[in-house]
Amino acid sequence: RRCNLTACSSKFVLSQVHPMWQEPLAIPGGDRQSPIDIVERKSVFDSKLKPLVTNYDPKTCQQIWNNGYSFLVEYDDTTDKSTLKGGPLQDQFRLCQFHFHWGECNSWGSEHTVDRRLFPAELHLVHWNADKYNLFEEAVVEDNGLAVIGVFLKIGKRHEGLQKLVDALPVIRHKDSVVEFTKFDPACLLPPNIDDYWTYHGSLTTPPLTEAVTWIVMKQHIEVSHDQLAVFRSLLFTAAEEEVQKSMVNNFRGTQPLRGRTVRSSFT
Ligand SMILES: NS(=O)(=O)c1ccc(NCc2ccco2)c([N+](=O)[O-])c1
Ligand SMILES: [Zn+2]
């Protein structure tokens, strides 16, 4: 579905936008799926939530690649050099990668929504519990295995830190293309205030959809320019040799039932 002016209005019924993959019929357990709509007035302030402590070493940045769902910036997670702790977390988690989800136009693209409000894109910084497990693959099936920081993107001024990443995208246009990417500090993608967040227990938002994630969704968004986000849309879902090339857009999952979960907030 091409995005034209009328279709792009935020009133446009989202169900007509084709998500990137068919939802599986049965999901294991399936009562703590992600993403969700965060209803601000139903979130519960928890004074026991501590400030988040990120400690990222840009030297652990290794590569950027197109996995056919999104583009990922991967970090060396064989040592405790880039870590996340504090907030709702009991253990220390290691950064393994970050990636984004976005729409075909600026009216939608995020996975989480806030009071049904959609953002043009969402950043996910993925970490795994290195106090309890030895590998990401082990942690991804455990309910305290992963911690993902979600940051909403809004269209505004150009994000200087993001530009290095945007400049690398044309080189990884096709699925399975990889390029070396070093010395990128993911902290530059966090909003100024990381003390205000919502947190809840959920899942990966793409297969295998395992319910292993402590989600930490930032209240404050970051701004990127219209042109920077347009470069995200120049990526392709398809590999170079495929006949029909498909633009990598709308790579987000729709919101899932809350199933009685409580969303806690670190702020009043
Ligand atoms: N959108 S997300 O942050 O929830 C997310 C989804 C899938 C995967 N991975 C998919 C996967 C395959 C085998 C094990 O894991 C990841 N991740 O790996 O960080 C993150
Ligand atoms: Zn994601």
Side-chain angles (χ1 to χ4, degrees):
R1 175 172 299 285
R2 292 303 309 145
C3 177
N4 55 49
L5 215 52
T6 45
C8 240
S9 73
S10 53
K11 291 181 287 306
F12 182 65
V13 177
L14 207 51
S15 61
Q16 299 179 45
V17 172
H18 305 290
M20 63 186 155
W21 41 273
Q22 197 46 45
E23 289 270 345
L25 294 176
I27 292 149
D31 55 1
R32 45 171 287 196
Q33 288 291 294
S34 293
I36 59 169
D37 176 46
I38 295 166
V39 181
E40 287 208 71
R41 68 189 183 293
K42 287 190 180 168
S43 63
V44 178
F45 170 63
D46 181 349
S47 59
K48 292 192 302 303
L49 285 171
K50 300 185 184 69
L52 267 184
V53 179
T54 59
N55 197 335
Y56 296 145
D57 177 354
K59 291 194 296 302
T60 57
C61 188
Q62 290 182 317
Q63 61 187 17
I64 185 169
W65 68 293
N66 176 333
N67 73 345
Y69 281 134
S70 178
F71 65 91
L72 319 179
V73 178
E74 293 191 320
Y75 285 76
D76 168 18
D77 60 1
T78 56
T79 69
D80 269 338
K81 286 222 183 81
S82 287
T83 59
L84 169 70
K85 59 181 191 253
L89 306 172
Q90 309 307 325
D91 299 314
Q92 177 162 280
F93 288 66
R94 273 184 205 162
L95 173 70
C96 61
Q97 57 108 314
F98 70 80
H99 62 272
F100 297 80
H101 302 264
W102 60 91
E104 66 191 81
C105 60
N106 294 333
S107 295
W108 60 76
S110 62
E111 297 215 296
H112 291 88
T113 54
V114 180
D115 292 338
R116 288 287 163 213
R117 181 176 172 207
L118 297 150
F119 293 84
E122 185 173 332
L123 159 66
H124 289 158
L125 292 139
V126 184
H127 314 73
W128 56 273
N129 188 334
D131 282 350
K132 295 254 182 349
Y133 309 108
N134 298 312
L135 290 171
F136 168 82
E137 287 73 15
E138 282 173 34
V140 78
V141 292
E142 305 290 341
D143 65 6
N144 61 354
L146 303 180
V148 183
I149 295 176
V151 182
F152 294 118
L153 275 62
K154 275 178 74 176
I155 302 300
K157 62 184 188 312
R158 181 182 140 107
H159 192 296
E160 292 313 322
L162 186 76
Q163 196 52 38
K164 180 182 171 187
L165 189 155
V166 167
D167 290 337
L169 297 186
V171 182
I172 56 162
R173 258 193 107 209
H174 289 100
K175 178 181 178 194
D176 296 331
S177 46
V178 192
V179 71
E180 190 192 38
F181 193 71
T182 58
K183 295 193 285 300
F184 186 82
D185 180 5
C188 81
L189 297 176
L190 294 172
N193 171 15
I194 61 166
D195 291 344
D196 290 0
Y197 57 82
W198 294 283
T199 183
Y200 76 98
H201 291 292
S203 73
L204 294 179
T205 64
T206 68
L209 299 172
T210 42
E211 298 178 335
V213 184
T214 297
W215 279 96
I216 300 165
V217 179
M218 291 294 139
K219 177 172 174 49
Q220 235 180 28
H221 61 269
I222 60 170
E223 278 190 17
V224 303
S225 71
H226 178 282
D227 292 353
Q228 287 179 314
L229 198 54
V231 179
F232 284 25
R233 301 188 186 106
S234 70
L235 293 171
L236 299 168
F237 279 130
T238 41
E241 60 277 8
E242 288 182 55
E243 296 290 294
V244 180
Q245 297 295 333
K246 281 182 233 135
S247 294
M248 184 179 275
V249 293
N250 301 328
N251 56 357
F252 60 90
R253 188 188 194 193
T255 51
Q256 302 297 307
L258 195 56
R259 290 271 187 277
R261 286 174 284 178
T262 298
V263 176
R264 292 181 291 161
S265 65
S266 68
F267 60 95
T268 52

